[in-house]
Amino acid sequence: MKPHRLLFVCLGNICRSPAAEGVMRHLVAEAGVAEQYVIDSAGTGDWHTGQLPDNRMRQHGAKRGYAFDSRARQVRPDDFTNFDLILVMDRQNLRDIREFAPRATDMVKVRLFCDYVSDRPETEVPDPYYGGSDGFEIVLDLAENGARGLLKALSA
Ligand code: 4NP
């Protein structure tokens, strides 16, 4: 069977998308379906290339049992070939990622991550970078909720 290939995307690839990636990896492993998934993350910006996720994001994740240890990279045009579903954290990401899409039609692969979040009002994952610790907890709450929604949608 062909794996589901998922790419999580935010601006810097050091807070929201590595958290979504790590939570999704954890969830599919726990569900015993890790081999059915290819999971990665990237940023529309390149300022943090090669860096580990933000320490605050790692610390909040560790308190919930996650190890966020991916290395930041920028989105590439071949991501549109190598992934089936590209999940962006906010509408700015949705606008910015267009410039990496080889063809306009490739944008059919791109969805807002919050399309998979249920029973919460957010339609975007708020950028926690310039805020306090609450923001990182909200990112994790949304990541856990949306990852469950994705697993359910893709297992159906
Ligand atoms: P992220 O958060 O997009 O969730 O990784 C940010 C990380 C870095 C910056 C902005 C947002 N920055 O301006 O450097």
Side-chain angles (χ1 to χ4, degrees):
M1 216 178 72
K2 283 207 319 189
H4 301 290
R5 303 173 302 171
L6 311 180
L7 182 69
F8 297 96
V9 170
C10 62
L11 174 60
N13 194 210
I14 55 167
C15 297
R16 293 165 293 173
S17 61
E21 175 190 355
V23 168
M24 191 71 197
R25 280 188 195 286
H26 192 270
L27 186 65
V28 299
E30 200 175 64
V33 294
E35 77 287 351
Q36 296 171 25
Y37 285 83
V38 172
I39 301 169
D40 196 6
S41 67
T44 57
D46 68 352
W47 315 283
H48 300 285
T49 296
Q51 292 177 15
L52 282 168
D54 185 284
N55 272 325
R56 297 165 295 173
M57 194 72 256
R58 300 185 79 204
Q59 281 163 12
H60 282 269
K63 280 196 277 174
R64 298 194 192 192
Y66 303 113
F68 300 145
D69 53 9
S70 57
R71 294 284 175 168
R73 70 167 178 90
Q74 192 173 30
V75 173
R76 300 185 292 257
D78 69 0
D79 287 327
F80 287 85
T81 319
N82 296 335
F83 294 93
D84 308 308
L85 187 54
I86 300 176
L87 297 142
V88 297
M89 298 296 137
D90 62 32
R91 291 186 177 81
Q92 186 62 51
N93 305 150
L94 196 56
R95 288 189 286 273
D96 292 340
I97 202 173
R98 288 177 187 278
E99 72 181 81
F100 299 93
R103 291 165 298 270
T105 52
D106 292 330
M107 287 297 292
V108 298
K109 290 188 167 184
V110 183
R111 299 284 299 270
L112 278 169
F113 178 75
C114 283
D115 289 356
Y116 295 90
V117 168
S118 46
D119 306 320
R120 290 187 61 106
E122 293 93 341
T123 60
E124 305 179 288
V125 181
D127 184 347
Y129 193 70
Y130 294 105
S133 52
D134 288 4
F136 292 90
E137 289 299 311
I138 290 169
V139 169
L140 290 170
D141 291 341
L142 288 168
E144 288 176 342
N145 185 320
R148 284 194 300 273
L150 265 172
L151 180 64
K152 195 172 164 195
L154 297 173
S155 314

